[in-house]
Amino acid sequence: KQHLVTTGESGEVRRATLEEVKERFEWLKRKRDEERSREVVDLEARIEVARE
Amino acid sequence: MAHQADAKRALDERGYTGRLIRGDNPLKLFEKAVRDRIIDSYYWKEQCFGLNAATILDRATELTFIGGTYGVAQKPTPFLCLAFKLLQIVPDKEIILFYLEQEEFKYLRALAAFYIRLAWEKDEEVYTTLEPYLSDARKLKRRTREGWALTHVDEFIDDLLIKGRLCATTLPKINPRLFLEDEDRLEPRESALGEELEELDRDDEADESEVE
Amino acid sequence: KAWDDDADNVDPEDVVDDTDGVDVDAEHAAWKLRELKRVRRDRLAIEDKEKEREEVERRRNMTAEERE
């Protein structure tokens, strides 16, 4: 039974609601935006360092 | 209602009790050879397991190209695997429309459009739902059999409505737009070019008369 | 990516750039051209169908004449 749980072969997946889909979407969008602004900050920092 | 985490049970011919598309198991919209490739693939086994209509977004928003199968071994693209997953889940219409209508992730839009073309049985709805996106000019990367190609959302949508086969899949038969217009089931399409169209036509006529 | 073994000797993914807004005007102009082609294709289809209908009509009238 352990084995089944690990491989998930027994798994039933809960159906998602539209609300859950929207929430997940917003979360992923936020994550992506944060990732992008972090990239900009990193780039700017590196340019600063290169200038010195 | 829940669905199985993997597809093996759903593909068991006997006793499929899930939602039907076009009178049959949705997974059968893909040919057996393609289904086998998908189910045997690393991406399907590692990344697609146990997804529902919400968690599939984790994968779908990471997509960076569209495509069917590629290479000598006919490997399925993540895009194709996720489409297969959607056929397994059969999300509610409002969820599919959400995927399509959102602007942030163009590959998610492409995935939703592909699903709609495969799954929706009312031809008129397919045209009216997808045609607005003929004005989405964003670039799409496409994995071809031997490499890469550049296309655009509008071209992909047009392909879905015009072609018989796309992304390693034979698209279900759809009535040509002209037929539906003649039957008064569809209004003629209004191009997003709008008034510009008249200008472009006039330019053309001007060119023609110059030649004469 | 763990699942993407490039044993197929294919160009890397970045050989194609799908970044939007690199040249907004050019991209928009290219889209306009694509849309124009689609509109013309649709119009041509209507014209072809009309011609087909006219041809069928012509044949029908011809046969009637030949009958006389």
Side-chain angles (χ1 to χ4, degrees):
Chain A
K1 199 184 177 197
Q2 243 318 317
H3 174 73
L4 279 180
V5 172
T6 326
T7 59
E9 291 276 321
S10 65
E12 273 213 6
V13 182
R14 222 178 52 78
R15 201 167 171 76
T17 64
L18 179 62
E19 266 321 294
E20 286 166 354
V21 169
K22 285 181 174 174
E23 275 170 29
R24 194 83 180 188
F25 179 84
E26 287 306 316
W27 179 69
L28 288 164
K29 184 176 151 201
R30 232 183 348 231
K31 231 176 56 155
R32 185 192 62 167
D33 292 343
E34 282 167 18
E35 189 50 49
R36 283 187 179 166
S37 40
R38 220 177 308 140
E39 281 173 25
V40 172
V41 171
D42 282 349
L43 184 60
E44 286 172 355
R46 270 189 280 151
I47 292 173
E48 273 303 303
V49 169
R51 279 210 201 108
E52 287 162 14
Chain B
M1 223 212 318
H3 56 262
Q4 292 301 314
D6 75 357
K8 293 218 180 96
R9 283 242 215 122
L11 279 172
D12 186 352
E13 311 273 47
R14 308 151 288 167
Y16 174 74
T17 52
R19 299 171 176 209
L20 300 180
I21 291 178
R22 300 172 194 281
D24 206 344
N25 183 338
L27 299 181
K28 293 239 202 104
L29 285 165
F30 283 10
E31 293 146 23
K32 183 164 193 322
V34 173
R35 295 195 313 249
D36 288 344
R37 295 276 185 289
I38 292 173
I39 290 173
D40 287 340
S41 74
Y42 216 18
Y43 184 83
W44 175 264
K45 288 192 253 197
E46 299 291 310
Q47 302 290 327
C48 296
F49 191 78
L51 297 177
N52 66 18
T55 52
I56 198 175
L57 288 177
D58 295 16
R59 303 281 81 79
T61 55
E62 281 170 353
L63 287 171
T64 57
F65 56 91
I66 62 173
T69 55
Y70 62 95
V72 177
Q74 289 187 295
K75 215 159 152 216
T77 57
F79 181 82
L80 196 65
C81 294
L82 292 183
F84 193 63
K85 194 69 192 178
L86 286 179
L87 289 174
Q88 193 193 0
I89 297 171
V90 192
D92 292 336
K93 186 171 176 178
E94 51 182 10
I95 290 177
I96 290 293
L97 285 174
F98 177 77
Y99 295 163
L100 181 72
E101 289 163 11
Q102 58 76 39
E103 292 280 339
E104 273 75 13
F105 302 98
K106 56 189 179 182
Y107 290 99
L108 173 60
R109 173 170 286 178
L111 183 65
F114 187 50
Y115 177 86
I116 285 169
R117 176 63 178 89
L118 291 171
W120 287 16
E121 299 173 50
K122 229 175 149 214
D123 293 353
E124 297 91 309
E125 269 189 315
V126 173
Y127 285 107
T128 55
T129 306
L130 294 184
E131 280 170 347
Y133 301 99
L134 288 171
S135 58
D136 186 342
R138 287 179 294 181
K139 299 174 190 166
L140 288 177
K141 208 180 303 189
R142 186 166 67 87
R143 183 119 207 205
T144 65
R145 227 171 322 161
E146 285 144 16
W148 300 92
L150 178 68
T151 183
H152 302 81
V153 177
D154 61 284
E155 291 185 279
F156 182 65
I157 300 292
D158 190 51
D159 284 347
L160 283 172
L161 298 175
I162 297 293
K163 289 196 171 161
R165 204 172 154 77
L166 199 61
C167 297
T169 311
T170 302
L171 301 176
K173 290 239 182 326
I174 191 173
N175 282 305
R177 202 183 207 291
L178 202 48
F179 173 81
L180 294 171
E181 284 177 31
D182 287 345
E183 296 275 299
D184 280 325
R185 281 159 64 177
L186 259 188
E187 289 298 307
R189 182 171 81 86
E190 265 194 57
S191 165
L193 284 170
E195 285 170 13
E196 270 206 84
L197 196 54
E198 293 171 30
E199 279 175 42
L200 291 162
D201 280 344
R202 248 179 285 136
D203 287 344
D204 250 28
E205 280 171 40
D207 289 340
E208 276 175 31
S209 56
E210 272 170 31
V211 171
E212 290 162 22
Chain C
K1 294 174 201 160
W3 60 86
D4 199 8
D5 48 294
D6 266 298
D8 287 297
N9 232 11
V10 161
D11 294 328
E13 190 177 326
D14 57 16
V15 76
V16 170
D17 182 14
D18 68 350
T19 318
D20 300 302
V22 172
D23 185 342
V24 176
D25 293 331
E27 287 164 32
H28 185 64
W31 169 81
K32 278 206 269 188
L33 190 58
R34 294 196 297 270
E35 176 64 12
L36 187 62
K37 285 186 182 165
R38 287 191 285 261
V39 170
R40 290 204 168 134
R41 182 190 65 199
D42 290 350
R43 282 185 184 166
L44 222 66
I46 293 173
E47 281 171 30
D48 286 348
K49 208 160 193 190
E50 260 312 298
K51 283 189 197 146
E52 227 183 271
R53 282 202 194 112
E54 284 167 20
E55 184 58 28
V56 169
E57 263 308 300
R58 197 180 68 83
R59 294 248 177 91
R60 246 188 245 137
N61 293 336
M62 217 173 66
T63 326
E65 280 167 14
E66 283 171 352
R67 270 187 233 132
E68 286 165 15

